[in-house]
Structures are given as C-alpha cells and as structure tokens.
Amino acid sequence: MSFMALIGCSVLLAGCASQDEVVFCPTISAPEEGARAFVRSDNVRQVFDVRLNGVNAICTRHNSGGTMVALSVGLKVKRLLAEGAENDVVAVPMMSAIVDANQTVISNQEFGYRVGFDKGSDRKFPVTDIEQLVPAEARLVISLRPAY
C-alpha cells in the first residue's frame, strides 16, 4: 500500500511543476502483485528478487488530447551472495497497460531492463525510463512480470 501512496505523491507533485507545458498526470498505478517478481539471471541462473522502488512522472499535453507521460521507475534488484556471487546479468521483465474509463485495457506493452552485477555485488537500484501516451480519461498501469 505504501508503494501506491508513493506513486500518488509523485504524480501529484509532477503536476505542480512551473513549466507551462507540464500538466497534471493521469492516474498511474501498480497492482500489488506486480510490485515484486523473481527473475533468473542469464549466466549463473541464480534467482534475483526484483521490486518496484518508486516512480517520478512528468506529464505534458499531447496534441491528440491525451497526455504524454515520461515515467522514471526505480527498481531494487538483489540476490543472496551465499547462493552465488559471480559476475552476472539479470533481465527484468516489465509491462505497462492503458486502461480506459470503463476499466477496459486498450493497449499494453512489454519491455525489459538489463542489470549487470559485478562479482560480490548483492544489490542494485537502477532506474528505467518509460514514455507512454495516455488518452484522455484513461490511466496507466505499470507492473513487473514474473519470470521464475
């Protein structure tokens, strides 16, 4: 629930910026079950714990009448060094969906983010940037996709 509050505060503050082109952001949410995922690494096949770790959104009016959302999503990616401490790479699968006022998904997109780990490194806090056009009266949902 605190993650949802963090998203709400970030979105509200993003709409308060002083630039003329910046507008209030549409609702941006993340389902509770999509805020955490377990992902196997590429090299050692070790399981990594991935969590959404906050967002920052800047929104501008699009000439279509919708809102262009520039979203920075923080991630927390960690592993247990007792289960492996070698150099490795983990691909974090993510997705977004646009949901209209009738709660119908009108579009979705899958994408990934790769994180490299040096030998002995147990956690990283990368930030991935997403840009999405959200039609008027719609909302944006972001989520991690389970891969384990």
Side-chain angles (χ1 to χ4, degrees):
M1 195 62 167
S2 64
F3 181 71
M4 297 301 286
L6 179 63
I7 287 177
C9 289
S10 296
V11 171
L12 179 64
L13 294 175
C16 296
S18 62
Q19 298 176 352
D20 291 340
E21 67 209 352
V22 175
V23 297
F24 283 102
C25 290
T27 300
I28 301 170
S29 63
E32 186 175 331
E33 60 274 6
R36 183 178 187 185
F38 294 97
V39 181
R40 282 204 185 272
S41 65
D42 291 355
N43 301 333
V44 183
R45 308 297 297 156
Q46 182 177 5
V47 176
F48 282 69
D49 182 2
V50 182
R51 297 178 189 207
L52 294 178
N53 195 37
V55 298
N56 183 34
I58 298 176
C59 299
T60 56
R61 179 69 51 215
H62 190 266
N63 58 11
S64 69
T67 305
M68 184 58 72
V69 178
L71 191 66
S72 295
V73 179
L75 301 171
K76 179 180 180 182
V77 184
K78 68 178 186 172
R79 66 177 172 174
L80 296 176
L81 292 178
E83 295 177 7
E86 299 304 314
N87 291 338
D88 214 339
V89 175
V90 63
V92 178
M94 299 178 71
M95 65 177 291
S96 66
I98 304 294
V99 180
D100 69 11
N102 296 321
Q103 304 306 313
T104 302
V105 175
I106 56 177
S107 70
N108 57 42
Q109 177 182 356
E110 294 183 7
F111 51 94
Y113 187 81
R114 296 179 69 78
V115 182
F117 277 78
D118 295 327
K119 183 176 183 176
S121 176
D122 69 338
R123 69 188 68 208
K124 295 258 179 138
F125 297 91
V127 175
T128 183
D129 295 319
I130 304 164
E131 193 168 90
Q132 191 85 45
L133 176 60
V134 179
E137 306 300 320
R139 63 188 176 96
L140 176 62
V141 178
I142 59 169
S143 179
L144 297 170
R145 287 188 314 114
Y148 171 67

